[in-house]
Amino acid sequence: MTRIRRWWQMEPAITQIILGITVAVFLIEWLMGDGATLVFNAIGAKNNQAIAAGQWWRFITPMFLHMGLTHIALNGVVIYFMGMQIEAMYGHWRMLALYMLGGISGNIMSFALSTNQSVGASTACFALFGAFLTIGESFWENSVIRQLTNQFLLLTILNLVFDMFSNGIDIWGHVGGLAGGFLLGYVLGVPRIGKIAPLKRIVAGVVLVVGWLALLKMGFTNVNLTV
């Protein structure tokens, strides 16, 4: 128990757990071979028709499914390095909320604006970028945070530009994750660094919830129109 407590206190435990689960799921996919594609299309991928039919878990499961080694390797690097930094700043449970709710935000926007099936942790990875941009905006006077924010902002822009000119990329999922992470950063707060104005947190929470509801309504309407 002492070792576990020390690990929880000293290490980015949530980041390690998320990465471990993601890799474990990929190994299961790999062992299953071609059958894995059939399985995660059947029960896990973001599929608008299935979501509209009541399979709401598809807003979550795509974050833990990947199409190949390159796909999971790229996302795994982001989860590890961004996750460590975000967890150090926000804390364990806020990191978990940012990752999960930010990823869900991305899949909700994809549900509303894209008819394609999709999988991957990219929605949640972009949420981590968004959460860091929240820190940059809120604590811009800190020179170290300002420098890091400029670097991550450039990296985020380059990734979005790359998405625009790439085939098979769910850009709306990425944009939704980025926006969700940015708003969630305000809602959750960053007590390890400083205080965010209560009004900002309230406004961000309202915008986030209203955005979710509007996108969900749009998604269901689009599905009904295509039936």
Side-chain angles (χ1 to χ4, degrees):
M1 288 299 295
T2 301
R3 184 172 297 178
I4 294 175
R5 189 179 299 112
R6 186 180 299 115
W7 167 73
W8 181 258
Q9 293 172 346
M10 303 298 294
E11 298 290 331
I14 294 298
T15 298
Q16 293 173 3
I17 290 171
I18 289 172
L19 186 57
I21 292 173
T22 304
V23 171
V25 171
F26 179 76
L27 289 176
I28 293 172
E29 294 176 29
W30 179 71
L31 290 172
M32 291 178 64
D34 293 338
T37 302
L38 297 175
V39 170
F40 69 59
N41 283 339
I43 65 172
K46 192 228 77 179
N47 180 298
N48 291 4
Q49 298 285 348
I51 291 172
Q55 297 181 16
W56 288 68
W57 64 81
R58 289 177 184 265
F59 287 127
I60 300 172
T61 50
M63 290 185 277
F64 298 96
L65 300 171
H66 291 84
M67 290 298 294
L69 184 59
T70 301
H71 193 197
I72 191 174
L74 291 173
N75 284 339
V77 169
V78 176
I79 292 170
Y80 183 72
F81 287 104
M82 279 300 298
M84 284 196 302
Q85 296 192 54
I86 292 298
E87 193 164 350
M89 295 176 179
Y90 282 90
H92 297 314
W93 298 116
R94 286 178 173 84
M95 163 62 188
L96 179 61
L98 283 166
Y99 189 88
M100 296 301 298
L101 295 178
I104 290 170
S105 295
N107 288 323
I108 287 176
M109 181 169 281
S110 177
F111 171 62
L113 300 174
S114 173
T115 59
N116 297 328
Q117 284 197 157
S118 60
V119 294
S122 299
T123 54
C125 291
F126 269 87
L128 299 183
F129 283 119
F132 197 95
L133 296 181
T134 303
I135 295 174
E137 190 283 325
S138 301
F139 307 101
W140 187 253
E141 68 281 357
N142 184 308
S143 59
V144 175
I145 289 177
R146 184 166 61 248
Q147 182 179 3
L148 287 172
T149 301
N150 286 331
Q151 294 173 0
F152 282 117
L153 179 59
L154 177 61
L155 182 60
T156 301
I157 293 172
L158 289 175
N159 271 277
L160 290 175
V161 171
F162 175 78
D163 289 350
M164 293 174 64
F165 296 97
S166 301
N167 295 322
I169 299 293
D170 185 3
I171 187 171
W172 290 117
H174 295 182
V175 172
L178 180 68
F182 185 71
L183 294 170
L184 284 162
Y186 288 111
V187 174
L188 296 170
V190 201
R192 292 187 175 186
I193 296 179
K195 186 177 181 181
I196 295 177
L199 181 59
K200 278 187 178 182
R201 300 180 68 178
I202 293 171
V203 171
V206 171
V207 171
L208 182 66
V209 172
V210 171
W212 281 346
L213 294 175
L215 290 170
L216 285 170
K217 182 178 180 180
M218 186 184 302
F220 282 109
T221 299
N222 291 339
V223 170
N224 291 331
L225 289 175
T226 58
V227 173

